[in-house]
Amino acid sequence: MTRTTRRAPTARQAALLDELLRLFLAEGFAEATLDDFAARLHCSKSTLYALAPSKEQLAVKVVGQFFRVATERVESRVAGAADARGRIAAYLAGAADELGVASPRFVADVADFPPTAAIYERNAAAAAARIRAFITEGVAEGVFRDVHARLVGEMAGWLIEGIQTGVLAERAAVSDSEAFAALADLLLGGLAPGTGR
């Protein structure tokens, strides 16, 4: 049985992926063809086929890269926080900043294409897990009152998913950034010692 190894992209391929990501974030990807992408990026279709064998797989690769890089940047911000309260604030502010560059078209295209929607859902689940961990840490540190961390984390995860899919922005007529700020206020205010029963 032979094992295939995944080769790292060349510098040119990495640059093309970055350019594709900028294009996807600004305009989405569902309506465009590989010919459109090649024309916009001033490259051949065969160059794009070297990145992925189809438009669909290219979309998965680019969307996966978006979330991977965004997660790294958010986690970098979280690492500098002094306590769980700061970690939640940094995490949600970072998520707001990262998603703030995504156009409504990109968000809709990601949600409408099952393979990229699955990437989105995994990220929402990971976000809920991170928030749950921060809440558990905050209760242990004494910066949060004692709450059901798993339940509150899952509720936060639903809200994050609502933000990421554009549902909250549409219903409340706010930007993703405003929605994440409101979520931070809700969590941090509600978790503060002395609140609740």
Side-chain angles (χ1 to χ4, degrees):
M1 185 159 94
T2 60
R3 238 172 95 170
T4 57
T5 56
R6 193 181 293 181
R7 290 181 12 216
T10 65
R12 171 69 174 138
Q13 288 173 326
L16 279 174
L17 284 170
D18 287 343
E19 290 176 48
L20 273 169
L21 178 54
R22 279 191 287 281
L23 187 62
F24 278 30
L25 287 170
E27 302 173 19
F29 57 87
E31 300 298 321
T33 66
L34 281 176
D35 286 321
D36 296 330
F37 295 144
R40 295 288 298 277
L41 299 175
H42 308 290
C43 69
S44 66
K45 272 174 62 174
S46 61
T47 300
L48 295 178
Y49 281 125
L51 295 174
S54 69
K55 176 192 159 185
E56 291 75 17
Q57 290 174 338
L58 186 62
V60 168
K61 187 170 200 157
V62 173
V63 170
Q65 176 180 320
F66 169 70
F67 283 107
R68 191 169 36 260
V69 171
T71 298
E72 289 169 5
R73 286 195 290 247
V74 169
E75 290 298 339
S76 174
R77 289 171 76 156
V78 167
D83 61 16
R85 184 175 186 80
R87 287 188 282 280
I88 287 178
Y91 189 88
L92 293 175
D97 289 348
E98 294 299 326
L99 281 174
V101 300
S103 68
R105 183 72 261 156
F106 173 78
V107 172
D109 287 352
V110 168
D112 291 343
F113 182 46
T116 54
I119 295 170
Y120 228 155
E121 288 163 16
R122 280 194 303 274
N123 277 274
R130 289 299 280 150
I131 296 293
R132 185 169 58 245
F134 297 148
I135 293 169
T136 301
E137 292 165 11
V139 170
E141 293 169 358
V143 297
F144 295 148
R145 65 189 179 88
D146 193 7
V147 295
H148 192 303
R150 182 179 180 96
L151 174 61
V152 175
E154 289 303 323
M155 292 165 70
W158 280 10
L159 290 172
I160 290 168
E161 187 175 330
I163 295 167
Q164 289 181 335
T165 57
V167 171
L168 281 178
E170 182 180 326
R171 289 184 183 173
V174 296
S175 69
D176 288 350
S177 185
E178 290 169 315
F180 274 109
L183 176 57
D185 288 344
L186 179 69
L187 281 175
L188 298 176
L191 292 169
T195 60
R197 286 197 254 178

